[in-house]
């Protein structure tokens, strides 16, 4: 196996976004995984395993570690009484496997037809569609443990599957690479066509009988009408998870939005369709910002219409999340995994700052939740001119070297927050708000002088600089 350097990742993802992998290899066997892991340990870099690249958003800055493209192949069907056990290697295409199971008349995964990606990716986010989650048919998962370089089986219980979640997304599963998945498929199955769209399909006059082949056909048809074609647009499917809330919250929402659909979960909570909220409450169906937007036919799906950057996607995602929070007070979570998010300058790429970039925003969010910093910082620059859009402003700032500000309070009504580091230890920090206010200041970076930054030891208003930078974009 060869380990290459500086390989462009963009074309290996369905979003068609992403910079370079510092190191890259294709693993066709467990022996390759051993070799790759040993290499990464020696080089002191992190590992990221890429399957079909259908649920990731890779930063334009790339991934400063080893990307292992999973390519272990093999499918085996074993008879087990009324069931058949399908043992499928992680690098196999998910939909080829579903198609093969359907051809053999084996029930369990037919509702999951047409999902892009690999078999190894399926358990990670517990893929689901049309009323079925993959965890319902998974019997066990074989993993390669990068800690001790051995393989072992985990039962479905040990995988701790939840809605679009599993052990493999959590810190205690971070050392595991999925190598094989065993599915328990039924020889005699019952059609599961309770999901609204499928039900409609099979109850229309002249509809076919819901045989396993017809269910696959129906799912493929429904999907192609809802999701953007991957040969035309970049996308990773639903960008956010549907929020799960308790009944109290639902009752409150119903007072304002009596029509809101809701679906009970097994643990007594309710799942709300975010697509409905975005469409009917936020009015953001078809929202477009620069080269990214929400797909017209399914607003939960973020689309790269052309040469979008990961930064643009994150800014749009922040805006969507902010709108939902402002309108209905619910915090939504990303479903897509963001890899190697916007990187800071080289001198802050240390282990300490890597942890800080991950954890400090969470800590500040908790502090903000308890009521501190519910305001906007000083120094109003002005308002965005009416002939300019927020996207124009963002594009302009990006072109001037501004990128997302990670270590910053989220001010009231903020749509995006960007910074540009100057003279190593200082930064210009600009925020744009939902009432079109633009605020900005000059200060210590949080990295160079954390205390000075927090106490605003240097916190000034470089008026002339901002007037020059934002000439044509701002009105007073
Ligand atoms: N809706 C609207 N307006 C729209 C679209 C949808 O109001 O423009 C409402 C409808 O009431 C609809 C509801 O939203 O009934 C839910 O929409 P949909 O049936 O398309 O499903 P979803 O909840 O948005 C989930 C999965 C999809 C999966 C579909 C079909 C998540 C995050 N997404 O979407 O999975 O294909 O159900 O089962 O759970 C993925 O995970 O990447 C993915 C595509």
């Amino acid at each position: 196996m060869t380990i290459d350097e500086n390989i462009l990742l963009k074309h290996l993802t369905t979003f068609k976004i992403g910079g370079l992998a510092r190191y890259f290899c294709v693993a066709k066997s467990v022996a390759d995984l051993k070799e790759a892991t040993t290499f990464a340990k020696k080089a002191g870099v992190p590992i990221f395993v890429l399957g079909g690249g259908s649920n990731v958003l890779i930063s334009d800055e790339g991934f400063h570690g080893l990307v292992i493209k999973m390519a272990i192949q093999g499918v085996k069907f074993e008879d087990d009484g009324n069931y058949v056990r399908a043992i499928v290697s992680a690098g196999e295409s998910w939909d080829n496997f579903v198609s093969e199971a359907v051809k053999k008349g084996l029930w369990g995964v037919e509702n999951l037809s047409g999902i892009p990606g690999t078999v190894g990716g399926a358990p990670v986010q517990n893929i689901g569609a049309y009323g079925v989650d993959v965890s319902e048919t998974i019997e066990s998962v074989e993993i390669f443990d990068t800690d001790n370089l051995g393989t072992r089986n985990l039962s479905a219980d040990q995988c701790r599957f939840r809605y679009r979640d599993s052990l493999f997304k959590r810190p205690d599963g971070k050392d595991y690479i999925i190598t094989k998945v065993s599915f328990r498929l039924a020889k005699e199955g019952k059609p599961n066509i309770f999901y609204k769209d499928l039900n409609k399909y099979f109850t229309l006059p002249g509809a076919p009988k819901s045989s396993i082949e017809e269910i696959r056909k129906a799912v493929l048809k429904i999907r192609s009408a809802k999701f953007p074609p991957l040969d035309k647009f970049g996308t990773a499917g639903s960008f956010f998870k549907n929020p799960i809330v308790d009944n109290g919250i639902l009752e409150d929402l119903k007072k304002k939005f009596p029509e809101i659909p809701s679906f009970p979960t097994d643990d007594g909570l309710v799942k709300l369709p975010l697509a409905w909220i975005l469409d009917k409450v936020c009015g953001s169906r078809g929202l477009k910002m620069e080269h990214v937007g929400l797909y017209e036919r399914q607003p939960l799906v973020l689309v790269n219409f052309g040469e979008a950057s990961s930064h643009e996607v994150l800014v749009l995602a922040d805006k969507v999340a902010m709108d939902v929070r402002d309108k209905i007070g619910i915090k939504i979570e990303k479903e897509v995994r963001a890899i190697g998010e916007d990187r800071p300058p080289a001198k802050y790429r240390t282990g300490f700052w890597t942890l800080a970039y991950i954890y400090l925003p969470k800590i500040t969010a908790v502090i903000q939740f308890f009521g501190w910093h519910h305001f906007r910082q000083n120094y109003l620059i002005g308002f965005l001119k009416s002939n300019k859009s927020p996207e124009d402003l963002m594009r302009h700032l990006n072109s001037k070297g501004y990128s997302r500000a990670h270590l910053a309070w989220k001010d009231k009504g903020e749509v995006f927050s960007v910074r540009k580091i100057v003279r190593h230890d200082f930064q210009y920090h600009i925020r744009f708000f939902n009432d079109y206010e633009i605020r900005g200041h000059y200060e210590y970076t949080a990295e160079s002088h954390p205390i000075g930054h927090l106490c605003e030891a240097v916190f000034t208003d470089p008026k002339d600089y901002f007037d020059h930078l934002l000439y044509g974009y701002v009105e007073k």
Side-chain angles (χ1 to χ4, degrees):
M1 186 188 59
T2 54
I3 296 192
D4 294 311
E5 290 188 50
N6 301 321
I7 298 295
L8 190 62
L9 297 171
K10 178 174 176 159
H11 305 294
L12 299 174
T13 72
T14 57
F15 235 142
K16 300 281 178 274
I17 292 177
L20 302 176
R22 174 74 187 85
Y23 300 106
F24 179 89
C25 65
V26 178
K28 295 190 177 144
S29 63
V30 169
D32 286 348
L33 289 180
K34 268 187 200 160
E35 195 183 326
T37 309
T38 310
F39 171 86
K41 280 186 180 171
K42 265 198 198 134
V45 294
I47 289 173
F48 173 65
V49 180
L50 188 65
S54 56
N55 201 45
V56 289
L57 174 65
I58 297 178
S59 161
D60 309 318
E61 307 287 336
F63 179 71
H64 194 73
L66 170 65
V67 171
I68 303 177
K69 169 83 182 136
M70 173 53 68
I72 306 179
Q73 303 286 315
V75 186
K76 204 164 81 187
F77 290 91
E78 286 177 0
D79 197 81
D80 188 16
N82 294 333
Y83 291 87
V84 165
R85 182 173 301 108
I87 305 165
V88 192
S89 293
E92 290 286 341
S93 140
W94 170 260
D95 198 50
N96 285 352
F97 160 60
V98 174
S99 157
E100 210 171 326
V102 167
K103 270 191 205 131
K104 288 180 185 292
L106 298 172
W107 294 78
V109 287
E110 60 285 355
N111 290 35
L112 304 178
S113 291
I115 298 181
T118 52
V119 167
V124 176
Q125 53 141 354
N126 187 12
I127 56 168
Y130 306 101
V132 172
D133 286 342
V134 73
S135 53
E136 292 164 41
T137 50
I138 291 180
E139 197 173 55
S140 65
V141 170
E142 183 192 88
I143 55 111
F144 171 77
D145 188 338
T146 55
D147 195 31
N148 60 26
L149 305 187
T151 56
R152 69 194 146 91
N153 277 316
L154 299 180
S155 67
D157 268 358
Q158 286 174 307
C159 296
R160 286 190 267 136
F161 292 117
R162 299 277 180 281
Y163 166 59
R164 292 297 194 277
D165 193 25
S166 73
L167 166 73
F168 310 107
K169 274 188 159 181
R170 298 187 217 142
D172 41 345
K174 74 175 187 342
D175 290 336
Y176 303 159
I177 298 177
I178 295 172
T179 47
K180 272 181 200 161
V181 185
S182 292
F183 301 89
R184 189 170 141 94
L185 304 174
K187 289 180 184 168
E188 304 285 334
K190 269 208 215 110
N192 179 343
I193 50 169
F194 303 108
Y195 199 88
K196 202 170 84 184
D197 297 350
L198 264 185
N199 200 279
K200 198 166 136 201
Y201 182 98
F202 284 107
T203 48
L204 280 175
K209 249 189 101 215
S210 49
S211 65
I212 188 166
E213 290 88 0
E214 287 298 340
I215 293 178
R216 174 166 167 82
K217 238 195 236 170
V219 169
L220 292 176
K221 208 162 165 192
I222 295 167
R223 284 188 71 91
S224 67
K226 264 197 177 167
F227 295 107
L230 289 177
D231 53 345
K232 286 220 180 86
F233 301 107
T235 183
S238 303
F239 193 84
F240 295 99
K241 292 184 192 179
N242 284 319
I244 294 180
V245 299
D246 65 33
N247 279 292
I249 294 180
L250 174 64
E251 288 316 312
D252 282 349
L253 285 172
K254 274 192 170 159
K255 286 181 199 146
K256 240 176 130 186
F257 309 103
E259 312 278 285
I260 191 168
S262 60
F263 305 97
T265 65
D266 293 341
D267 37 10
L269 300 169
V270 277
K271 196 194 275 180
L272 305 176
L274 186 57
W276 188 92
I277 296 167
L278 295 175
D279 185 8
K280 311 286 193 304
V281 178
C282 302
S284 38
R285 179 212 272 258
L287 171 75
K288 229 179 146 183
M289 277 173 82
E290 260 190 273
H291 308 99
V292 294
L294 306 186
Y295 192 55
E296 187 66 46
R297 290 186 223 166
Q298 178 27 307
L300 197 47
V301 173
L302 253 80
V303 178
N304 164 10
F305 292 107
E307 290 297 303
S309 66
S310 63
H311 183 70
E312 285 171 58
V313 175
L314 292 172
V315 170
L316 176 67
D318 279 355
K319 179 178 163 28
V320 170
M322 186 68 70
D323 278 356
V324 173
R325 208 181 67 181
D326 287 350
K327 292 263 168 43
I328 61 166
I330 289 177
K331 201 170 166 280
I332 55 171
E333 276 177 49
K334 285 193 201 81
E335 199 237 304
V336 165
R337 300 174 84 187
I339 306 301
E341 264 187 68
D342 298 358
R343 275 199 314 155
K347 76 179 217 171
Y348 301 129
R349 287 180 210 149
T350 59
F352 171 78
W353 283 112
T354 307
L355 288 177
Y357 288 124
I358 297 171
Y359 291 109
L360 277 179
K362 296 189 199 303
I363 296 170
T364 51
V366 171
I367 296 175
Q368 288 191 275
F369 179 76
F370 287 106
W372 197 31
H373 200 95
H374 265 304
F375 53 87
R376 294 184 184 182
Q377 278 189 299
N378 281 340
Y379 304 136
L380 175 68
I381 302 173
F383 292 84
L384 185 62
K385 273 195 161 172
S386 53
N387 64 345
K388 297 283 183 200
S389 65
E391 303 86 83
D392 292 335
L393 175 66
M394 189 177 68
R395 187 167 36 224
H396 175 68
L397 290 171
N398 280 172
S399 73
K400 298 289 175 195
Y402 280 78
S403 62
R404 191 167 175 222
H406 282 278
L407 302 180
W409 297 108
K410 202 152 196 128
D411 281 4
K412 201 168 180 339
E414 177 185 306
V415 176
F416 65 77
S417 157
V418 290
R419 72 164 179 181
K420 179 176 176 174
I421 295 182
V422 284
R423 298 198 292 116
H424 304 290
D425 294 339
F426 298 92
Q427 64 185 16
Y428 294 113
H429 184 185
I430 295 177
R431 289 188 175 97
F432 174 68
F433 297 90
N434 52 14
D435 52 8
Y436 276 38
E437 250 189 37
I438 305 172
R439 288 176 176 256
H441 53 264
Y442 179 79
E443 61 185 350
Y444 274 131
T445 62
E447 295 92 333
S448 64
H449 293 272
I451 304 293
H453 173 84
L454 210 58
C455 306
E456 302 183 344
V458 173
F459 191 73
T460 62
D461 172 21
K463 224 177 134 315
D464 291 345
Y465 166 77
F466 284 140
D467 284 348
H468 183 71
L469 173 79
L470 295 169
Y471 179 76
Y473 286 81
V474 77
E475 57 196 10
K476 302 279 174 180

